[in-house]
Amino acid sequence: MEAAGRGEEPEIYNLGGASKMGRSVEAAALLMAAALLILSAASGHEWKAGHATFYGNIDPRESQKGACGYDDVFTQGYGNMTAALSTALFNDGLTCGACYELRCYDDPQWCLPGTITVTATNFCPPSDKPSTAGGWCNPPLRHFDLNMPAFLRIARYRAGIVPVHYRRVPCVKTGGVKFEMQGNKDWIAVLVYNVAGAGDVRWVAVKGTWTDWIAMERSWGQIWSVQSQSALVGQELSFRVTTSDGRTVQSDGVATSNWQFGRTYEGKQF
């Protein structure tokens, strides 16, 4: 969003009811929710075929960060049941936070019984190797590069790569949606995590004490930002979060007026 010119009061600070920008944000949110509901209904939760490998070693903390913007998947509640997704699944980061149930199949020598549920927290990039000889994450392959402890729950270490069935499942979380404040007074960024239900966030809006709702832009992964809104510093902040299934949760007054960068605030949960 562009900053207002000098001497001009941006319309979002209109104190006399909803501004044109506020109404446009509301309309955009409704359209987004409708589109996401259609997408969710079409995708379903049927089992699909893919493959899985592992990265890192038995110490799961080797994979604590990643391309979704999470600082530490352990302190932020994702544990060691995490996965880096191939291009076909990662969807340019939009799938970050989604949960998948996986089971190894059709390989009795290497498969173990049971299923695991993992959260998408990282990206497995394409390789210059052939898709059949090491380029497991090349398009259009649907591939899960698992944290090693997760892989060892469904397959033996020496397998290396195994066929899996996978499906989207609801994410189960403890506590509310978390908002980690990043950036500075001129560029406010928020990492949205610990999201239950669909898990993957598709739209975020922020509202200050004296502003209308402001649609945030997705910077990367699940980091959402708004440019040149320094007036939000010193205001109480509320958030609206919409996930890929079209559901929205509104958390009013999440961050009090003395909120600080680097701190995390907790809102309502889906």
Side-chain angles (χ1 to χ4, degrees):
M1 181 180 295
E2 296 181 357
R6 292 176 181 266
E8 298 177 358
E9 182 178 359
E11 195 169 17
I12 59 173
Y13 302 127
N14 179 357
L15 302 181
S19 67
K20 292 181 180 179
M21 179 174 288
R23 289 194 295 271
S24 66
V25 169
E26 298 279 356
L30 289 173
L31 289 172
M32 172 69 77
L36 293 176
L37 281 171
I38 294 172
L39 178 63
S40 177
S43 61
H45 297 287
E46 70 278 7
W47 290 99
K48 299 178 181 179
H51 287 83
T53 51
F54 65 87
Y55 68 103
N57 54 42
I58 198 61
D59 179 3
R61 292 189 178 273
E62 183 172 320
S63 53
Q64 63 184 353
K65 297 182 181 293
C68 289
Y70 306 123
D71 300 316
D72 186 325
V73 295
F74 300 96
T75 61
Q76 292 173 330
Y78 296 102
N80 57 20
M81 294 293 109
T82 59
L85 305 185
S86 64
T87 302
L89 295 171
F90 191 66
N91 197 15
D92 196 29
L94 285 173
T95 313
C96 289
C99 295
Y100 292 87
E101 184 179 13
L102 277 72
R103 64 188 183 195
C104 183
Y105 80 101
D106 198 33
D107 196 339
Q109 181 181 3
W110 303 116
C111 288
L112 297 176
T115 68
I116 58 171
T117 298
V118 296
T119 304
T121 62
N122 207 346
F123 174 53
C124 182
S127 169
D128 56 3
K129 298 179 181 179
S131 298
T132 56
W136 315 125
C137 291
N138 295 348
L141 299 181
R142 297 177 179 271
H143 190 82
F144 296 82
D145 200 17
L146 301 173
N147 186 311
M148 185 174 174
F151 182 86
L152 294 179
R153 290 272 299 274
I154 59 171
R156 304 185 191 282
Y157 173 83
R158 292 184 61 189
I161 180 171
V162 293
V164 296
H165 282 146
Y166 71 91
R167 63 181 176 182
R168 282 286 297 270
V169 293
C171 299
V172 178
K173 301 297 177 187
T174 301
V177 175
K178 304 289 182 66
F179 303 89
E180 181 183 305
M181 305 301 297
Q182 303 177 1
N184 53 57
K185 66 182 181 65
D186 296 315
W187 179 74
I188 294 176
V190 181
L191 170 63
V192 183
Y193 69 96
N194 199 55
V195 181
D200 50 344
V201 176
R202 296 299 176 90
W203 188 80
V204 178
V206 61
K207 183 181 185 302
T209 307
W210 306 297
T211 74
D212 286 324
W213 287 101
I214 305 167
M216 304 187 78
E217 296 182 357
R218 192 175 68 90
S219 296
W220 58 283
Q222 288 301 351
I223 295 179
W224 298 77
S225 64
V226 58
Q227 296 281 351
S228 302
Q229 297 294 341
S230 59
L232 289 175
V233 176
Q235 295 190 49
E236 181 180 86
L237 302 183
S238 302
F239 292 95
R240 283 179 181 165
V241 176
T242 300
T243 47
S244 63
D245 58 358
R247 298 176 63 197
T248 298
V249 66
Q250 179 172 316
S251 299
D252 296 321
V254 171
T256 56
S257 59
N258 63 344
W259 63 265
Q260 298 177 8
F261 293 106
R263 297 285 299 275
T264 299
Y265 302 88
E266 184 171 349
K268 294 182 179 179
Q269 186 58 271
F270 286 89

